[in-house]
Amino acid sequence: MTTPPDPSATYDRLVDDLSYTYEGVFSRETVAEVVHESRTTLEATAKLTRYLPVFVARQAREQLMAIAQSEGRIAKQVPEILFVCVHNAGRSQMAAALTEHLSARRVHVRSAGSEPTGEVNPVVIEALHERGIDLTTPYPKPLTHRVVQAADVIVTMGCGDACPVFPGKRYEDWSVADPAGQPIDAVRDIRDDIQSRVTQLLREVLS
């Protein structure tokens, strides 16, 4: 019988890798703290535990980059756009995926949820796949002050006042229908609505 890998060893290696990546930017102690925080947060909500180390690695990288950018440790190369909804399982995932698809990497995109759920809506994944957009092992991400501070544009969709407000940021609130529990035809309409809004936003941000 194959022995499963030791989770502690997996996360220790992740700390080693990220400490190398951010050598001269963050101490190993800071990296380890962010990895532990990411693991604790995602273990509380993740349903796809098979991919948990992958999700933790992504979350920790995103958080470290957000800290580095917000504190001026690493210069931004392109504008940062953050999409936020309640669960980060539908609208904000679609908006982020469509923005990345349409922007030709002229912006950097993040998404998050004020109350993230365990998995992304499979109908949302299907609707995006129809446009040639593949959400590879997607997972809902928690909203943190770090990602808000790092963003230049924050777009909220149905999450009320959950998003902290920092001066010097551009905030927009989009009234977009929630795809949760909707059939594919309705989700296609939501996808197209979001794409129209994303297209206009990119014109303004990149002009």
Side-chain angles (χ1 to χ4, degrees):
M1 186 173 70
T2 303
T3 303
D6 178 8
S8 297
T10 298
Y11 292 115
D12 286 344
R13 285 193 293 271
L14 175 59
V15 172
D16 290 340
D17 292 346
L18 291 176
S19 296
Y20 175 81
T21 300
Y22 286 96
E23 185 175 1
V25 179
F26 294 115
S27 67
R28 179 183 174 82
E29 290 73 21
T30 297
V31 172
E33 180 182 342
V34 171
V35 169
H36 175 73
E37 179 184 289
S38 299
R39 179 183 179 183
T40 301
T41 300
L42 294 177
E43 279 182 339
T45 59
K47 293 182 180 178
L48 299 175
T49 55
R50 175 184 177 186
Y51 297 111
L52 188 59
V54 175
F55 297 159
V56 171
R58 291 183 182 179
Q59 177 71 6
R61 287 180 187 277
E62 283 289 318
Q63 294 299 301
L64 288 166
M65 180 59 73
I67 297 169
Q69 290 175 332
S70 64
E71 295 181 353
R73 297 169 183 253
I74 293 177
K76 291 183 182 180
Q77 302 300 317
V78 294
E80 298 272 340
I81 301 177
L82 171 65
F83 294 99
V84 185
C85 66
V86 177
H87 300 306
N88 192 219
R91 288 168 289 186
S92 56
Q93 289 278 355
M94 278 199 286
L98 286 163
T99 301
E100 187 168 332
H101 181 68
L102 295 168
S103 67
R105 298 188 177 181
R106 290 176 292 169
V107 299
H108 183 261
V109 190
R110 293 186 175 99
S111 69
S114 55
E115 299 176 15
T117 58
E119 59 185 350
V120 175
N121 185 334
V123 186
V124 165
I125 296 174
E126 180 182 352
L128 288 172
H129 191 263
E130 293 176 352
R131 289 291 174 83
I133 301 171
D134 182 23
L135 281 182
T136 304
T137 57
Y139 70 103
K141 298 168 286 296
L143 178 65
T144 67
H145 279 60
R146 295 164 179 162
V147 296
V148 178
Q149 285 181 306
D152 300 297
V153 180
I154 298 99
V155 178
T156 58
M157 290 170 276
C159 54
D161 298 327
C163 189
V165 176
F166 294 98
K169 310 291 184 183
R170 172 177 171 176
Y171 289 85
E172 292 193 12
D173 185 60
W174 291 357
S175 179
V176 175
D178 189 347
Q182 299 291 333
I184 184 63
D185 287 344
V187 175
R188 289 182 182 124
D189 290 340
I190 296 170
R191 175 200 63 198
D192 295 345
D193 178 22
I194 291 175
Q195 177 164 338
S196 176
R197 294 169 186 267
V198 163
T199 301
Q200 181 60 35
L201 178 63
L202 287 174
R203 288 195 183 105
E204 295 170 3
V205 170
L206 298 174
S207 62

